Amino acid sequence: MDDIRHIDAHRSDDVVAGTGIAAGDRDGARSVEEGAPGRELARDAALDAARATLLDLGWRRTTLTEVARRAGISRMSIYRAWPDRETLLGDLLTREAAGLLGVLRDEDTGRAAATPARIAADLRALLGALRANELFSRVLQLDPEIVLPYLFQRRGRTQDLIAELLGTEIADGQRAGVVRRGEPIALARAVLLTAHGFALSASTMIDADVDQACLDDALERAVVGLLAPTDTAGRSGR
């Protein structure tokens, strides 16, 4: 991940000592540090610029300097808001995932209690939306190493957002008596672990014998089996 942590700072004679920021960048551009709502507008502009840059160049060639240029924001402001590229990427992916999850939350409004089948269907729809999303697809196509830390070292905010949504649905189903007993967040994370392979490696399992729909059907059955109430109360408890 060293390449992700790297900050591109082009050196010149008028660079402010110790900052990697050209003195001329301190004025004449919008600042992410401005007060709201200007600050939020500048932040959104920076994230929009980062998204466009990643789609155009891939993450390896995306620099904070290029993001600042595209956003019309001073480099000093970019470095203050995001000290390194990894932080910026985290905020960008979180915003993208939150938008996709927002659609599912809106669809859940006013619906009946979540059953294992509905939770499985919602997860299937979410994974389909992630596969269709141009930003996530671009990351997996050009820079798959970006996701490795979130599979082997730590959870990311995107994973926590999905687990939170699943946990809410699971708790709702438990109150209605249609989802097995257990700590909702633990069950949600188990579902998320089940989904990881389908989200990231499904393409390696698709061929003339198995298509995406077959795998999605299998995922739904696996999630239903994980969440369905068991016959023995002791086995379904924590």
Side-chain angles (χ1 to χ4, degrees), residues 4 10 30 36 42 64 89 92 146 186 220:
I4 295 177
H10 297 291
R30 289 176 296 166
L64 295 182
L89 179 64
L92 176 60
I146 287 175
E220 286 199 58

Side-chain angles (χ1 to χ4, degrees), residues 74 80 117 120 184-185 214:
S74 70
R80 283 176 176 169
I185 192 60
C214 289

Side-chain angles (χ1 to χ4, degrees), residues 12-117:
S12 64
D13 293 338
D14 60 346
V15 167
V16 178
T19 67
I21 301 167
D25 286 336
R26 289 176 293 179
D27 302 302
R30 289 176 296 166
S31 171
V32 180
E33 304 301 313
E34 294 173 3
R39 179 174 54 193
E40 289 304 317
L41 290 173
R43 184 178 180 84
D44 284 342
L47 291 174
D48 290 344
R51 189 182 193 277
T53 305
L54 191 155
L55 291 175
D56 288 344
L57 305 178
W59 185 244
R60 291 186 187 90
R61 297 172 59 193
T62 295
T63 66
L64 295 182
T65 299
E66 175 63 15
V67 171
R69 185 191 69 79
R70 292 192 183 211
I73 296 173
S74 70
R75 290 174 62 197
M76 178 174 286
S77 294
I78 286 287
Y79 283 108
R80 283 176 176 169
W82 296 283
D84 53 45
R85 296 195 310 147
E86 186 177 38
T87 306
L88 174 60
L89 179 64
D91 284 352
L92 176 60
L93 295 181
T94 298
R95 187 184 72 162
E96 198 81 9
L100 296 176
L101 291 174
V103 174
L104 288 182
R105 287 194 178 100
D106 291 342
E107 291 176 351
D108 281 344
T109 303
R111 293 168 68 183
T115 63

Side-chain angles (χ1 to χ4, degrees), residues 28-224:
R30 289 176 296 166
S31 171
V32 180
E33 304 301 313
E34 294 173 3
R39 179 174 54 193
E40 289 304 317
L41 290 173
R43 184 178 180 84
D44 284 342
L47 291 174
D48 290 344
R51 189 182 193 277
T53 305
L54 191 155
L55 291 175
D56 288 344
L57 305 178
W59 185 244
R60 291 186 187 90
R61 297 172 59 193
T62 295
T63 66
L64 295 182
T65 299
E66 175 63 15
V67 171
R69 185 191 69 79
R70 292 192 183 211
I73 296 173
S74 70
R75 290 174 62 197
M76 178 174 286
S77 294
I78 286 287
Y79 283 108
R80 283 176 176 169
W82 296 283
D84 53 45
R85 296 195 310 147
E86 186 177 38
T87 306
L88 174 60
L89 179 64
D91 284 352
L92 176 60
L93 295 181
T94 298
R95 187 184 72 162
E96 198 81 9
L100 296 176
L101 291 174
V103 174
L104 288 182
R105 287 194 178 100
D106 291 342
E107 291 176 351
D108 281 344
T109 303
R111 293 168 68 183
T115 63
R118 199 191 91 187
I119 294 172
D122 283 349
L123 183 62
R124 177 177 184 159
L126 176 59
L127 294 189
L130 286 171
R131 285 193 297 267
N133 180 273
E134 60 179 350
L135 181 64
F136 286 107
S137 296
R138 188 71 163 166
V139 166
L140 292 179
Q141 177 187 21
L142 296 182
D143 306 287
E145 69 277 3
I146 287 175
V147 305
L148 294 180
Y150 306 110
L151 295 177
F152 299 111
Q153 298 174 2
R154 63 185 183 277
R155 294 192 315 278
R157 282 173 289 170
T158 296
Q159 291 161 304
D160 282 339
L161 284 172
I162 296 173
E164 179 185 355
L165 177 62
L166 289 171
T168 298
E169 287 193 320
I170 288 169
D172 182 40
Q174 288 175 330
R175 286 190 292 270
V178 295
V179 172
R180 65 175 298 161
R181 290 184 294 171
E183 184 62 41
I185 192 60
L187 291 173
R189 290 179 182 176
V191 170
L192 189 55
L193 284 172
T194 302
H196 274 166
F198 288 88
L200 301 175
S201 304
S203 62
T204 66
M205 299 297 164
I206 293 175
D207 53 26
D209 298 317
V210 177
D211 61 14
Q212 185 66 62
C214 289
L215 293 178
D216 288 344
D217 289 344
L219 172 63
E220 286 199 58
R221 289 193 295 271
V223 172
V224 168

